[in-house]
Each structure stands twice: as structure tokens, then as C-alpha cells.
């Protein structure tokens, strides 16, 4: 028999066995299973290394939990709608559905080849009508609950994708706003669009981040910044302007300011081109109308600090002064109230506008300690905290006190909170998405499609420019559900992030015909226990998923308000320092190095959250580990050269197996697969050394090999199964119990530290003393009173040396004198850490561990090794410390 492990030969067989035995299927009556989920893939054509890393992480953890005895839900599906599929189909002169289904077939085959253990009976595909009908059903529930708006808005427009983009889908690249998918510069258009009012949940989404303790701090901070909670004050100005048809109209206009204490420095009021007031003023002022028309569809960066003065004036609510009113492009319609009080002395953007339009600049705050006679910069804005001046009765107050007093003293000022978060624009002017279930009637306006007519299915794809649905005249023509008159279907489709905002719920009951998911099961099985994906989804998918869950809870469809218990962000696989990308030509295909080697490497290369470099040399390490483990099992089975009687060094190996189990268990629990792989390598190395040192004990060596098979199985399942089978393990390793230590596991780290430190000390002495061939090595453990002294010092909040000396001397077996004890206690008190600081093994345990480990010293140095406890007259007694034996070498 060969000892070479050929993954390709065993892969097909074990996958057949797993499928035959249906080992990954989860019964519907399972009680609160462990839900492990990787972000489902977009059907782009083939798997890339990012997919493999994501799914290797979830698969390893799911397998580990299953071996721990959990029921495990580990499903897979396809994020199948979207513009890339539509574009890919266009390039290949086919239709999006055919292209997408071909991608799914190819990607599923690749996932199966990699050996990922999914419950394929729960597979979902978002482009199929039996899935997207529930997008439409949920849209209608949201609509009825007031969570959907349809309104004219200035939106982001990608000219290449020919569709609008939500704010979160616009990225900043070298000072230019570009599309997140194609990186084309983004423009602006005014269109009637559909929105989910995610801003209704802004406060809960923000506050809830503090409770997501299982989420990475980085993701929470990204969401926190995107939601952008700001505390300040809403300030009301009374405006006067010419009325349409003559006369004067007055109306209140609210502004929001995070610094209401600067109100005495306001020298103008400005509103955005999209503000209602701008529209009103444009009706009677052609210059304003031209300006609004000119800038409405421009990028804010292009508009700069342009603006136009209007005939309106604003009355300052505290001083009564009349302030000019501008329509200004730098004021954003969807930030704050869409209107600002211009305080050029204390805001950089207001200052730029004031300079451009020759407006007065008033300073009303100076840095604390800055007197009127001191020199200070009067040209630029001062944006820090300080002391008020030129503010009437508030002069001399610090910024914080003035803020509180101003709001308390004046009805025109009121405490308020605003958010950077904008409502979620879900309209897309593309074919390959969920049709929005609305018809437009000239008499009735937008009307929901009746529930019994769902799903509104996509018509047959026809190649055209622009929006294919808008060109599908026969499909578009319909009747109004309310009045029965002629109507047209909505031709926008939903943002594909709608599909992925609730898909984890559909996995719970994928065949359910009368609801999107089973509420009872969802209430029992949620939240998702572990979710793995890229941090780049923080303000798109992950934020939208949280919004959906809260909205569904308010609709009575869920009890949970957060979808995910623990989120794990995966790092990037790099090649030559750059992210793998087809456009850069640095892609390594998952199958290039073999499925098992690839899986083991991406897990062992680094912590899941860290980026790592793909190099052939490092991949070789994963390959070699497989060959080593397979060779050890094969040689053991073929040769069988073992013994039955126990010898002294067997106990150390048996205990090291326990220590490895404890360590690997801890690493799997913490998703540190790279450390688990290192532990497996170290145990394999020890077992090979043990076998070379002496004929191994049959039971202990077999246990060690079976442990290796079980521990590696979550990361390299085909290898684990093959090893388990060769060693005649019970059943399948995928269904086996996770190995348990036969002894106490809590002290394994201390035991290892003791042995490693002692071996290192022996090496140092041999090296420094230039001892070529030591004949005898003596390890002398400290006397027991020293352990008691170390324990007392560690337990004391404040070390009372005399009291500790008395407690040590009070013991019956202590023969040391006060001076000796006092000297040792003093050394402990003055020592920062060290062997005798912190947790210690008790004296008997330490002696036992060293006795079991003597074979390692003998094996390395060829010397006779003895271990003993120091006695009172022993000259080595003074050198021996707890956790650090004295060493004598001859």
C-alpha cells in the first residue's frame, strides 16, 4: 500500500457516503440548532478564493459544532439577481436567466468539489419566482405599515449601469464619486423613486450597536459613522418673501445646528436647491428657477459654493435682525433639514460660501483664555470650543453652558437629534431584479398589486437600450386593481440588497407556500449564531438586514430584533501584495492546488479576520501536513509494530494528547483555525518522535492518531474521514463525537509552559557551559513551602511581607528559617511576572509532569535524567523555584 495521500481518489467516495447518509440534513423538528451561515455568493460565474475562505471558515465551524453534538443548520443558496448578470448576459448574447442558471450549476459543482457540508435540501435562489414573490409580499406589508415612500428625489445616477444608486453604493475615489460596481463617475438626476424608510429606525439601529457584543468593533464603528447620529438644536427662523400674485408670505423654516451657541454669529440663511422653499421661490423668481434647474442634477462637488440670493429675508429669532436668504448648492437636501444658518466665523463650509458671496463674517467664540487684546486669526473660522463674545447676555459663558442656556431660554430653539442615514432607495431601472408590485393609475395613483396575483413575474427578456421592462409594452399594460381602468405596471425593479436582507429566514422553511418563513421556527432558531463575510458589507447588506429584522418584528412576524448573534469578518487573500482580481490577472483558481490543500491552507495561513498572502511555498506546508498525517496512519496500520506494556514515557504522550485536545477545542471555539492547525502539527511531530524513541504503546498511539483524524476533520474533511476509516474509528468521523481529554484539561497550558521552559533552560546551560555530551541531568523542584509563599503573594492585594512569612513558617513541615523565607518572599514581591508569578501547578503536579517529560530530555541530549524534590540541606534548594526547577548537568 502507498502512504501517499491522493485527495482526488478519496474525494468522490466520501462525498458519495456523506450524501448517501444525508449527514448534513437538519430535521425541521430540531430544537434551536446552531445556525452557521456564510454570506451567500453572487452568481458571478465561478468561485474565487474569497468564496473559498469564507465557506471554509463556516464549514469548519459547522463540522466542529456537529461533532460537539449540536444540531447544525448550515445552508447554501444563490444571490442571483443583479446588474452584473444582466451585463454578462448582454456581452454573451444570451438572457440573464440562462446565464445565471449556468453560473449556479458551475458554482454548485465547485462547492461540492470543495467538500463543503451544506444541507442542499434548503437551497434557495433569489431570481426564482417562488422566492421573489416574497420580496413583493414583504414590500406590500412594509407599504401598508408606512415604511415605503414614493416621491420625486434627486438621486445618484450611474450612466454606465443606467440605473440609480443608493447613497451607500456610491464610493469616493480620488475625490470623485463613483459607482461601487463599475467605478464610473456618478451624476445626479431627479426621478420618482421608491424608498424604504430605514430612517424610522435610525435611533434603534444606532443604539442597538452597543448590544452587538459578538460583532467586530470595526463593523460596528462603520455602521455607527454611517448612521451618523448628531445631537444639537432645531432652530426656527421666520421667513418673508414675495407671494405668487403679489403681496408677502411668511413661513417658518427650521435649521439644525450642532452648535446653537454660535447663533449670534449667523449672517445669512441658505437652503438646498431641493428644499420646498427653493421650489416656492423659484415660482416667482426666474433667476432662482434657473439656478435650481442648473444645479439640481449636478454632483455637489461640481456645484461647489455657488448660490443665488433670493428676495426672501429671515428674521433672527434672538436679535430680530433681517438676514439674507440664499439657495446654495453646498447645502444638501437630505442632511439635517436641508437648510442651514450660515455662521462663517465658526464653520468652514459657511466661511467658504461667505467669502464667495461677500457676506459678513462675525466671530462670537474665542478660545478659552484668549482675551480681547490678544492677537488671534480673524480671517479663518474658529471651529473649536471656547468662550462666547458678541452674544449679548451670554458673553463670557463657555460653549457647553451657553448651549444649554440658549435652548432653555428661547422657544425658537429646541433640543434635537439628526442622522446622516438616508432612506433606502430601492428603485433600479434594470430588468434583472424583483418587479415592484405596483401599478400606476391616472385616477388612483400608485396601487398595490393584489396579494393573490403575486408574484408579478418578469416578462421574457428582450435586448434593448435603457430599461427593458419599460420597453415591454404588453407586460406593462394592465388594469387598476381599484377602479378597473387602464394602468401601467411599475417598471423599476428592487435593489438586490432586498433579496439578501431576509434570505437567512427563508432557509428555515424554503418550501413554505403560504408565507416567506415559518414564524414559530424563526422565533426558536434565530438569531443566526455565526455569520461570516466581508467587512465591506457593513453599511449595505448588514445594515439593511438589521433594518429588515426590526421591521419584521414590528409587523408581528418575528420576536427577534437583531438577526445575528456573532459576526465574523474575513480578511482578503492577496497575491503579490494585492487582492486577487481577474482584472489584475493574479487569480488563483480554488481547484489549482486541490480542494483539500486549498481549504487547509486558507484556514491555517492566518486568523480569519486578517489578510494573508498566497504563496506556493506556504501552500506546500498544508500539502505536507496532509501527507504526514496520512503516512503516519498508513504506517501504523501496515506495520503494527507496537507494545502492550506501559512504560514511564507513555504517560507524557497520553497527557499531551489531552493537552492538544484542550488547546484545539479552545482554538475552534475562537475561530483560530491557524492555531488549531499548528497544534495538530505539533502533536503529529511529537507522535513521530515518540515512535522513533521506542516502540509505541498500541492503545496510546492509536488514540493519538484517531485524535489527529478527528481534530483535522473540520478543516480537511476528506482526509479526516480517510484517516478515521484506516484506523477503524467508529462510524464516520463527520458524525463522531469530538474527542475528550481523559484527564483534567484546565492546567494544560501551565503543564506545557513548565516543560518548554525547562527544556529551554537545559539547552541554555549546555550551550553556555559548552557541554558536548552531557551524561547526567538532574532537575530539582523547589521545596513545597515556596509554592505556598508564591500563592500567598499572588492572592494578596497589598503584600504584607511579615504576615506572609508568619503564615509560611506556621506550617508543620517548614524547616527553613525566617531569613531564608523572608528573602524568598522579598524576591517574589519585587519580581514582575516570572515562573513563580500567577497560576502555578501544585508541587506534586509539577513533579509528576517533569517526571513524565524526562524522555524528551534523554531523547535530545542522550543523558540520564532524574527528577527530585529539593531537601533542606540541598545546595540546589535555593535556586529552585515554583515552575522553574534547579538544573544540574554533568
Amino acid at each position: 500500500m502507498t502512504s501517499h495521500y491522493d485527495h482526488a481518489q478519496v474525494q468522490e467516495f466520501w462525498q458519495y457516503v456523506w450524501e448517501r447518509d444525508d449527514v448534513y440534513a437538519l430535521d425541521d423538528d430540531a430544537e434551536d440548532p446552531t445556525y452557521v451561515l456564510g454570506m451567500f455568493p453572487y452568481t458571478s460565474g465561478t468561485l474565487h478564493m474569497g468564496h473559498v475562505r469564507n465557506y471554509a471558515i463556516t464549514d469548519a465551524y459547522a463540522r466542529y459544532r456537529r461533532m460537539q453534538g449540536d444540531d447544525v443548520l448550515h445552508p447554501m443558496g444563490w444571490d442571483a439577481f443583479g446588474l452584473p448578470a444582466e451585463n454578462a448576459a448582454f456581452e454573451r448574447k444570451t438572457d440573464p436567466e440562462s446565464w445565471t442558471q449556468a453560473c449556479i450549476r458551475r458554482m454548485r459543482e465547485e462547492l461540492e468539489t470543495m467538500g463543503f457540508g451544506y444541507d442542499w435540501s434548503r437551497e434557495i435562489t433569489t431570481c426564482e419566482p417562488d422566492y421573489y414573490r416574497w420580496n413583493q409580499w414583504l414590500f406590500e406589508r412594509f407599504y401598508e405599515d408606512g415604511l415605503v415612500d414614493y416621491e420625486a428625489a434627486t438621486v445618484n445616477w450611474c450612466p454606465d449601469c443606467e440605473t440609480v444608486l443608493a447613497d451607500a453604493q456610491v464610493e469616493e475615489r480620488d475625490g470623485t464619486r463613483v459607482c461601487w460596481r463599475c467605478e464610473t463617475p456618478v451624476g445626479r438626476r431627479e426621478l420618482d423613486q421608491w424608498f424604504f424608510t430605514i430612517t424610522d429606525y435610525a435611533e434603534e439601529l444606532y443604539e442597538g450597536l452597543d448590544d452587538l457584543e459578538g460583532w467586530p468593533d470595526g463593523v460596528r464603528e462603520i455602521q455607527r459613522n454611517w448612521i451618523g447620529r448628531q445631537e444639537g438644536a432645531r432652530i426656527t427662523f421666520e421667513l418673508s418673501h414675495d407671494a405668487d400674485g403679489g403681496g408677502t408670505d411668511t413661513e417658518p423654516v427650521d435649521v439644525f445646528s450642532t452648535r446653537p451657541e454660535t447663533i449670534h454669529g449667523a449672517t445669512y440663511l441658505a437652503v438646498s436647491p431641493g428644499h420646498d422653499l427653493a421650489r416656492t421661490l423659484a415660482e416667482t423668481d426666474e433667476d432662482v428657477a434657473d439656478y435650481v434647474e442648473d444645479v439640481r442634477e449636478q454632483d455637489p462637488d461640481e456645484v461647489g459654493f455657488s448660490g443665488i440670493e433670493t428676495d426672501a429675508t429671515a428674521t433672527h429669532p434672538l436679535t430680530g435682525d433681517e438676514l439674507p436668504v440664499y439657495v446654495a448648492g453646498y447645502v444638501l437636501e437630505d442632511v439635517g433639514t436641508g437648510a442651514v444658518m450660515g455662521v462663517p466665523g465658526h464653520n468652514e463650509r459657511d466661511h467658504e460660501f461667505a467669502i464667495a458671496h461677500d457676506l459678513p463674517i462675525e466671530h462670537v467664540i474665542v478660545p478659552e483664555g484668549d482675551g480681547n487684546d490678544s492677537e488671534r486669526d480673524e480671517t479663518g473660522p474658529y471651529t473649536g470650543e471656547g468662550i462666547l463674545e458678541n452674544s449679548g447676555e451670554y458673553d463670557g459663558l463657555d460653549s457647553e453652558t451657553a448651549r444649554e442656556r440658549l435652548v432653555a431660554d428661547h422657544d425658537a430653539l429646541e433640543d434635537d437629534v439628526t442622522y446622516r442615514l438616508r432612506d433606502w432607495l430601492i428603485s433600479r431601472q434594470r430588468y434583472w431584479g424583483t418587479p415592484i408590485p405596483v401599478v400606476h393609475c391616472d385616477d388612483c395613483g400608485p396601487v398595490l398589486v393584489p396579494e393573490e396575483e403575486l408574484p408579478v413575474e418578469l416578462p421574457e427578456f428582450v435586448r434593448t437600450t435603457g430599461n427593458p421592462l419599460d420597453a415591454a409594452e404588453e407586460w406593462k399594460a394592465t388594469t387598476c386593481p381599484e377602479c378597473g381602468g387602464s394602468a401601467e405596471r411599475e417598471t423599476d425593479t428592487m435593489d438586490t440588497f432586498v433579496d439578501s436582507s431576509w434570505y437567512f429566514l427563508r432557509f428555515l422553511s424554503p418550501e413554505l407556500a403560504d408565507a416567506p418563513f415559518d414564524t414559530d421556527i424563526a422565533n426558536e432558531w434565530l438569531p443566526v449564531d455565526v455569520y461570516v463575510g466581508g467587512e465591506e458589507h457593513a453599511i449595505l447588506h448588514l445594515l439593511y438586514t438589521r433594518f429588515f429584522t426590526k421591521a419584521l418584528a414590528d409587523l408581528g412576524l418575528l420576536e427577534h430584533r437583531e438577526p445575528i448573534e456573532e459576526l465574523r469578518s474575513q480578511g482578503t487573500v492577496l497575491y503579490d501584495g494585492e487582492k486577487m482580481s481577474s482584472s489584475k490577472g493574479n487569480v488563483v483558481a480554488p481547484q489549482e492546488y486541490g480542494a483539500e490543500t486549498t481549504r487547509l491552507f486558507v484556514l491555517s495561513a492566518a486568523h480569519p479576520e486578517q489578510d494573508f498572502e498566497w504563496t506556493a511555498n506556504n501552500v506546500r506546508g498544508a500539502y505536507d501536513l496532509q501527507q504526514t498525517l496520512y503516512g503516519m496512519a498508513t504506517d501504523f496500520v501496515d506495520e503494527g509494530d507496537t507494545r502492550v506494556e506501559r512504560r514511564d514515557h507513555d504517560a507524557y504522550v497520553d497527557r499531551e494528547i489531552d493537552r492538544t485536545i484542550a488547546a484545539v477545542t479552545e482554538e475552534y471555539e475562537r475561530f483560530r483555525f491557524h492555531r488549531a492547525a499548528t497544534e495538530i502539527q505539533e502533536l503529529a511531530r511529537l507522535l513521530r518522535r515518540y515512535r522513533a524513541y521506542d516502540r509505541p504503546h498500541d492503545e496510546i498511539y492509536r488514540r493519538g492518531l484517531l485524535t489527529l483524524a478527528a481534530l483535522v476533520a473540520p478543516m480537511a474533511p476528506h482526509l479526516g474521514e480517510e484517516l478515521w476509516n484506516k484506523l477503524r474509528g467508529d462510524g464516520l468521523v463527520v458524525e463522531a463525537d469530538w474527542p475528550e481529554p481523559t484527564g483534567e484539561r484546565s492546567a494544560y497550558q501551565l503543564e506545557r509552559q513548565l516543560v518548554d521552559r525547562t527544556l529551554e533552560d537545559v539547552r541554555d546551560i549546555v550551550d553556555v557551559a559548552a557541554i558536548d555530551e552531557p551524561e547526567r541531568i538532574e532537575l530539582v523542584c523547589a521545596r513545597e513551602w515556596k509554592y505556598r509563599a508564591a500563592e500567598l503573594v499572588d492572592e494578596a492585594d497589598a503584600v504584607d511581607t511579615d504576615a506572609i512569612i508568619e503564615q509560611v513558617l506556621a506550617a508543620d513541615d517548614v524547616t527553613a528559617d525566617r531569613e531564608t523565607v523572608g528573602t524568598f518572599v522579598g524576591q517574589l514581591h519585587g519580581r514582575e511576572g516570572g515562573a513563580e508569578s500567577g497560576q502555578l501547578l501544585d508541587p506534586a503536579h509539577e513533579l509528576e509532569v517533569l517526571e513524565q517529560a524526562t524522555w524528551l530530555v534523554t531523547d535530545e541530549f542522550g543523558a540520564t535524567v532524574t527528577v527530585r524534590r529539593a531537601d533542606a540541606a540541598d545546595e540546589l534548594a535555593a535556586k529552585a523555584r515554583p515552575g522553574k526547577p534547579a538544573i544540574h548537568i554533568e
Side-chain angles (χ1 to χ4, degrees):
M1 293 180 65
T2 177
S3 61
H4 176 77
Y5 174 61
D6 187 343
H7 170 267
Q9 287 186 352
V10 302
Q11 172 182 308
E12 185 176 353
F13 174 74
W14 288 118
Q15 289 181 9
Y16 161 75
V17 172
W18 295 334
E19 183 176 357
R20 179 198 67 193
D21 292 359
D22 213 10
V23 296
Y24 306 120
L26 177 70
D27 293 336
D28 288 335
D29 58 358
E31 294 186 7
D32 192 18
T34 299
Y35 192 170
V36 182
L37 186 62
M39 293 182 182
F40 67 167
Y42 185 75
T43 51
S44 56
T46 58
L47 290 184
H48 56 67
M49 205 56 71
H51 288 133
V52 172
R53 193 180 190 193
N54 184 327
Y55 303 140
I57 292 167
T58 57
D59 193 54
Y61 188 73
R63 290 174 180 276
Y64 164 70
R65 293 309 322 172
R66 194 175 287 111
M67 293 176 74
Q68 284 283 9
D70 293 5
D71 287 328
V72 175
L73 173 60
H74 187 217
M76 178 49 68
W78 310 102
D79 190 9
F81 267 145
L83 184 60
E86 191 170 339
N87 289 344
F90 187 87
E91 293 168 2
R92 292 162 177 79
K93 295 181 171 54
T94 185
D95 62 277
E97 183 174 10
S98 297
W99 164 253
T100 298
Q101 293 297 342
C103 290
I104 289 173
R105 287 192 296 272
R106 182 163 53 248
M107 293 175 76
R108 175 166 175 167
E109 182 178 343
E110 290 174 324
L111 288 174
E112 291 174 335
T113 298
M114 296 301 295
F116 295 128
Y118 297 118
D119 182 353
W120 285 110
S121 69
R122 297 176 181 274
E123 181 181 14
I124 59 173
T125 304
T126 62
C127 67
E128 294 178 353
D130 64 356
Y131 183 89
Y132 70 71
R133 75 171 282 199
W134 299 113
N135 283 347
Q136 296 171 344
W137 187 88
L138 290 168
F139 175 95
E140 296 191 349
R141 302 294 81 72
F142 283 17
Y143 186 96
E144 292 164 352
D145 204 47
L147 292 175
V148 178
D149 278 345
Y150 182 64
E151 59 185 24
T154 302
V155 294
N156 305 304
W157 177 264
C158 176
D160 187 62
C161 297
E162 295 186 355
T163 187
V164 301
L165 304 172
D167 286 345
Q169 293 166 324
V170 178
E171 298 179 351
E172 190 84 14
R173 299 283 175 85
D174 299 324
T176 301
R177 299 169 72 249
V178 300
C179 173
W180 72 304
R181 283 202 183 277
C182 67
E183 300 187 3
T184 301
V186 170
R188 305 281 283 176
R189 283 195 179 182
E190 186 166 354
L191 298 169
D192 291 334
Q193 299 286 276
W194 292 97
F195 296 83
F196 283 154
T197 57
I198 189 174
T199 52
D200 291 357
Y201 289 87
E203 182 70 14
E204 186 179 356
L205 288 167
Y206 185 89
E207 294 295 337
L209 291 169
D210 291 338
D211 298 326
L212 297 180
E213 296 177 356
W215 286 42
D217 291 339
V219 172
R220 292 194 289 175
E221 191 61 21
I222 290 170
Q223 285 202 8
R224 192 173 284 114
N225 291 336
W226 185 255
I227 296 168
R229 187 182 191 275
Q230 287 189 312
E231 294 184 356
R234 186 176 293 263
I235 306 171
T236 302
F237 288 78
E238 290 294 332
L239 263 71
S240 301
H241 59 86
D242 292 341
D244 189 11
T248 300
D249 278 348
T250 61
E251 61 181 287
V253 170
D254 290 338
V255 304
F256 174 82
S257 175
T258 60
R259 304 193 66 197
E261 71 275 17
T262 65
I263 189 170
H264 284 88
T267 59
Y268 68 92
L269 197 80
V271 298
S272 73
H275 195 281
D276 289 344
L277 179 64
R279 291 192 178 94
T280 300
L281 295 174
E283 292 174 359
T284 58
D285 189 325
E286 289 187 6
D287 290 338
V288 172
D290 290 343
Y291 178 77
V292 169
E293 180 68 23
D294 188 43
V295 303
R296 282 284 279 161
E297 295 188 359
Q298 291 186 41
D299 187 286
D301 292 335
E302 298 173 352
V303 174
F305 291 96
S306 68
I308 186 168
E309 186 174 5
T310 72
D311 66 2
T313 57
T315 302
H316 194 291
L318 273 61
T319 67
D321 293 343
E322 296 296 316
L323 306 181
V325 176
Y326 285 76
V327 177
Y330 85 99
V331 182
L332 302 180
E333 176 182 355
D334 56 0
V335 175
T337 65
V340 301
M341 65 172 187
V343 185
H346 301 286
N347 181 282
E348 292 178 355
R349 292 169 64 80
D350 294 350
H351 188 270
E352 292 282 350
F353 187 81
I355 294 296
H357 295 273
D358 197 24
L359 290 164
I361 299 172
E362 301 288 344
H363 289 88
V364 294
I365 295 181
V366 295
E368 191 169 358
D370 196 6
N372 290 332
D373 296 332
S374 67
E375 295 185 5
R376 63 175 184 265
D377 183 7
E378 294 287 356
T379 59
Y382 174 64
T383 59
E385 300 283 288
I387 304 300
L388 268 66
E389 66 175 9
N390 302 322
S391 299
E393 63 183 287
Y394 302 98
D395 284 354
L397 294 178
D398 64 86
S399 300
E400 183 177 356
T401 302
R403 273 196 292 271
E404 296 173 355
R405 289 268 298 274
L406 281 161
V407 173
D409 292 348
H410 301 280
D411 292 340
L413 282 75
E414 183 179 355
D415 284 327
D416 197 9
V417 175
T418 65
Y419 301 89
R420 177 175 181 256
L421 181 68
R422 305 273 66 86
D423 282 334
W424 176 9
L425 172 59
I426 67 163
S427 291
R428 296 294 180 270
Q429 291 70 43
R430 303 299 301 190
Y431 169 81
W432 196 231
T434 299
I436 293 175
V438 169
V439 301
H440 294 277
C441 173
D442 290 339
D443 294 328
C444 305
V447 180
L448 293 178
V449 173
E451 184 178 330
E452 60 271 16
E453 294 181 17
L454 300 180
V456 177
E457 295 193 34
L458 289 167
E460 183 178 349
F461 179 74
V462 176
R463 189 183 304 273
T464 183
T465 58
N467 182 358
L469 291 186
D470 201 33
E473 296 294 342
E474 184 176 345
W475 175 86
K476 190 166 62 171
T478 186
T479 57
C480 174
E482 289 190 1
C483 70
S486 297
E488 288 190 349
R489 294 192 185 279
E490 172 61 68
T491 58
D492 286 353
T493 53
M494 296 185 198
D495 181 6
T496 54
F497 281 104
V498 175
D499 307 347
S500 59
S501 291
W502 68 279
Y503 79 105
F504 61 96
L505 289 161
R506 188 64 180 173
F507 280 134
L508 308 182
S509 38
E511 303 298 329
L512 194 63
D514 57 359
F517 55 90
D518 187 303
T519 294
D520 291 337
I521 292 178
N523 290 337
E524 182 181 354
W525 290 10
L526 286 184
V528 175
D529 291 276
V530 175
Y531 195 37
V532 179
E535 190 174 277
E536 67 271 16
H537 296 291
I539 59 170
L540 290 164
H541 165 59
L542 291 169
L543 185 63
Y544 296 153
T545 296
R546 294 183 63 218
F547 158 65
F548 249 72
T549 304
K550 296 176 190 303
L552 292 172
D554 287 339
L555 288 169
L557 297 174
L558 273 180
E559 291 178 355
H560 300 278
R561 301 193 71 84
E562 289 288 354
I564 300 157
E565 182 75 21
E566 183 174 4
L567 175 69
R568 291 280 172 170
S569 295
Q570 68 176 70
T572 302
V573 182
L574 306 174
Y575 194 93
D576 289 338
E578 295 186 285
K579 181 178 179 179
M580 287 189 185
S581 168
S582 298
S583 62
K584 296 174 182 175
N586 64 352
V587 172
V588 176
Q591 63 272 19
E592 187 172 332
Y593 288 84
E596 199 94 300
T597 300
T598 299
R599 286 182 56 147
L600 192 54
F601 174 61
V602 298
L603 290 172
S604 62
H607 189 285
E609 294 180 3
Q610 293 177 334
D611 298 345
F612 75 88
E613 185 80 16
W614 182 283
T615 66
N617 285 340
N618 290 338
V619 177
R620 179 76 192 193
Y623 174 82
D624 288 346
L625 177 58
Q626 297 172 74
Q627 298 304 326
T628 295
L629 297 179
Y630 186 79
M632 291 171 66
T634 300
D635 291 347
F636 173 73
V637 171
D638 291 350
E639 297 175 11
D641 187 18
T642 59
R643 55 184 164 81
V644 177
E645 74 282 3
R646 284 186 176 259
R647 296 173 182 167
D648 292 342
H649 57 286
D650 296 333
Y652 178 85
V653 176
D654 204 25
R655 180 60 183 150
E656 187 57 29
I657 294 170
D658 284 349
R659 288 191 278 261
T660 301
I661 293 170
V664 172
T665 302
E666 183 176 329
E667 304 304 357
Y668 270 110
E669 288 287 345
R670 300 175 67 177
F671 288 80
R672 298 193 301 202
F673 305 108
H674 59 305
R675 292 193 179 183
T678 299
E679 289 286 348
I680 291 167
Q681 288 174 320
E682 290 299 321
L683 179 59
R685 186 177 292 115
L686 177 72
L687 289 175
R688 293 200 308 276
R689 184 176 177 182
Y690 170 62
R691 190 166 186 262
Y693 180 76
D694 184 15
R695 278 192 310 143
H697 185 272
D698 187 86
E699 180 183 344
I700 292 173
Y701 195 62
R702 180 184 295 275
R703 176 177 178 243
L705 294 176
L706 282 169
T707 296
L708 286 173
L711 297 183
V712 81
M715 293 188 284
H718 307 98
L719 173 64
E721 207 67 78
E722 187 72 5
L723 297 176
W724 191 261
N725 182 62
K726 275 187 172 294
L727 297 165
R728 300 296 183 263
D730 292 336
L732 297 172
V733 73
V734 71
E735 297 178 314
D737 292 337
W738 187 251
E740 285 289 334
T742 57
E744 171 60 39
R745 71 167 64 188
S746 61
Y748 81 88
Q749 290 178 322
L750 294 173
E751 294 171 354
R752 283 182 166 178
Q753 290 167 7
L754 171 66
V755 174
D756 291 344
R757 186 167 49 239
T758 302
L759 284 169
E760 190 61 36
D761 288 346
V762 172
R763 294 186 191 109
D764 287 345
I765 294 171
V766 169
D767 183 51
V768 172
I771 304 173
D772 292 335
E773 295 183 3
E775 296 180 359
R776 191 170 71 88
I777 300 174
E778 190 174 29
L779 307 178
V780 181
C781 295
R783 299 183 64 198
E784 295 190 10
W785 66 264
K786 288 189 176 182
Y787 295 84
R788 177 58 178 156
E791 182 181 357
L792 291 170
V793 170
D794 286 335
E795 290 175 350
D797 293 330
V799 176
D800 184 341
T801 303
D802 290 336
I804 290 175
I805 293 172
E806 293 298 333
Q807 291 183 67
V808 172
L809 292 173
D812 293 338
D813 57 347
V814 176
T815 58
D817 58 35
R818 170 177 286 275
E819 182 180 356
T820 300
V821 174
T823 300
F824 182 68
V825 171
Q827 291 171 345
L828 290 176
H829 181 43
R831 185 177 293 269
E832 294 284 340
E836 56 279 304
S837 178
Q839 285 186 303
L840 291 169
L841 299 175
D842 63 57
H845 194 167
E846 179 177 312
L847 187 67
E848 179 187 32
V849 170
L850 288 174
E851 288 174 340
Q852 292 174 353
T854 56
W855 74 277
L856 295 173
V857 184
T858 300
D859 184 49
E860 183 170 347
F861 296 100
T864 301
V865 182
T866 59
V867 180
R868 65 178 177 82
R869 173 83 57 211
D871 58 42
D874 198 327
E875 64 180 20
L876 293 175
K879 297 180 180 180
R881 304 177 185 278
K884 194 173 177 65
I887 300 171
H888 178 70
I889 301 178
E890 295 179 357

